[in-house]
Amino acid sequence: TAKLNSVAKAAGKLYLGSATDNPELTDQPYVAILSDNEQFGQITPGNSMKWDATEPEQGVFTFTQGDVIADLAKTNGQLLRGHNCVWYNQLPSWVSSGNFNVSELTSIVENHCNAWDVINEAFNDDGTWRSDVFYDTLGEAFVPAALNAARTADPSTKLYINDYNIEGPGAKATALTNLVQSLQSSNVPIDGIGVQGHLIVGSIPDMKTQLAAFASLGVEVAITELDIRMTLPSTDALLQQQKTNYQTVIEACQSVAGCIGITVWDYTDKYSWVPSTFSGQGAACPWDENLVQKPAFDGIVAGL
Ligand code: XIL
């Protein structure tokens, strides 16, 4: 039967990948599917490279858990997406405390971004900047500080800005477009836009238009965190609609040469973040809780 990364590569994409997380790696049947590089050509750590995991105390870096994912990718011959460097969530309290002045917090960001999804979720849905310790202290300057530091640390790694609710045209996608253009005109390194893709069955935005618009800025585009959730319980009708929705999303990436890859935000409902985050919703992934492929799997294949 078809395997996702093989089909994606044959269709001209760089990879089709999955998120994963350290606690899941004791589940042997789960790991066997995850590690099959014909199924998944790329992995993203769901939590273990976030700020609270990598710099829990100022200047004290621990990459033990993140390295487990990096090593797994290497062993499996898979690409790795570093996720993430600057995000308002999952910050240790020493960062979110707001106890730093401009030059202190700038050094803290630069020191931490010696890392990938460099900027995560910087905007509100209306396109204004999100109020967090970075923007409130540094204004927009935290973005070039982080990107420049990441480029210096790792000249060959692609640097992305990643966000949600930018899948279709709207105020937030426009804000991100303007930011990328302004970074480009001031020679700040920016290689890609990550479109998260946490979507809802039955309401898929016009991704084809937006992915093409992002790619026309001259940056890579990737769908970085795809899942398509439904109100539980799942029914055959919802699962069929979900299949169609997955196909539509994949076709949108497929129709844009600059959309280089797709990552599902874990491949199985068994480890999806959705039920614990969106109450009453779930069944968002292409494999079910028993690691059995759902119609959504066939939707992905059909879209490539
Ligand atoms: C989620 C993880 O999957 C969960 O395990 C964690 O509890 C919260 O974060 N956007 C992102 C991801 O960029 O980092 C988030 O991951 C999902 C939303």
Side-chain angles (χ1 to χ4, degrees):
T1 71
K3 292 191 177 176
L4 299 181
N5 187 50
S6 298
V7 179
K9 286 175 83 166
K13 300 291 111 173
L14 191 57
Y15 61 83
L16 193 142
S18 177
T20 188
D21 203 0
N22 297 66
E24 305 161 18
L25 301 178
T26 55
D27 180 340
Q28 299 302 334
Y30 167 83
V31 173
I33 296 172
L34 181 75
S35 296
D36 178 353
N37 66 18
E38 295 182 5
Q39 199 71 268
F40 300 110
Q42 176 274 337
I43 55 180
T44 306
N47 285 299
S48 55
M49 290 186 189
K50 291 175 179 174
W51 200 316
D52 57 357
T54 54
E55 195 184 3
E57 291 171 58
Q58 187 168 7
V60 180
F61 288 89
T62 33
F63 292 106
T64 320
Q65 295 293 92
D67 282 348
V68 169
I69 309 290
D71 291 344
L72 184 67
K74 198 169 188 182
T75 304
N76 295 339
Q78 295 163 320
L79 297 167
L80 179 74
R81 173 175 292 275
H83 176 84
N84 52 56
C85 177
V86 177
W87 188 29
Y88 74 97
N89 248 332
Q90 293 178 266
L91 285 175
S93 55
W94 72 265
V95 181
S96 53
S97 68
N99 290 336
F100 300 105
N101 66 28
V102 169
S103 70
E104 289 164 343
L105 190 60
T106 303
S107 323
I108 287 166
V109 166
E110 289 170 347
N111 195 41
H112 186 73
C113 293
N114 277 321
W116 348 291
D117 284 335
V118 182
I119 305 293
N120 201 31
E121 303 181 353
F123 291 110
N124 297 312
D125 286 346
D126 67 1
T128 57
W129 287 88
R130 183 189 291 277
S131 165
D132 62 12
V133 67
F134 305 111
Y135 184 74
D136 295 348
T137 310
L138 305 176
E140 303 176 20
F142 79 93
V143 175
L147 288 165
N148 281 317
R151 174 52 41 92
T152 302
D154 198 348
S156 61
T157 291
K158 303 282 188 183
L159 307 181
Y160 273 65
I161 297 183
N162 193 48
D163 217 322
Y164 65 98
N165 288 350
I166 54 165
E167 289 78 9
K172 198 175 188 177
T174 300
L176 194 62
T177 300
N178 292 338
L179 173 61
V180 168
Q181 284 174 327
S182 109
L183 294 170
Q184 288 171 326
S185 63
S186 44
N187 289 316
V188 176
I190 177 67
D191 301 308
I193 297 176
V195 174
Q196 291 186 4
H198 295 295
L199 302 173
I200 299 171
V201 166
S203 51
I204 304 300
D206 180 6
M207 291 185 70
K208 204 168 174 168
T209 299
Q210 193 54 49
L211 296 179
F214 284 148
S216 74
L217 297 170
V219 292
E220 291 185 354
V221 179
I223 300 177
T224 53
E225 305 185 14
L226 180 61
D227 51 25
I228 310 182
R229 61 188 186 263
M230 63 182 69
T231 299
L232 298 172
S234 74
T235 61
D236 284 349
L238 283 167
L239 291 170
Q240 285 305 321
Q241 193 176 7
Q242 183 183 49
K243 171 187 174 179
T244 307
N245 290 163
Y246 264 98
Q247 180 172 343
T248 300
V249 170
I250 302 298
E251 280 170 353
C253 179
Q254 196 52 36
S255 71
V256 176
C259 183
I260 57 127
I262 300 142
T263 305
V264 292
W265 200 244
D266 224 322
Y267 70 85
T268 163
D269 294 335
K270 187 172 184 182
Y271 297 120
S272 172
W273 74 305
V274 168
S276 60
T277 308
F278 304 97
S279 137
Q281 298 177 61
C285 301
W287 272 257
D288 72 12
E289 302 206 353
N290 300 313
L291 307 182
V292 174
Q293 294 171 4
K294 296 158 61 178
F297 176 96
D298 301 314
I300 296 175
V301 173
L304 286 166

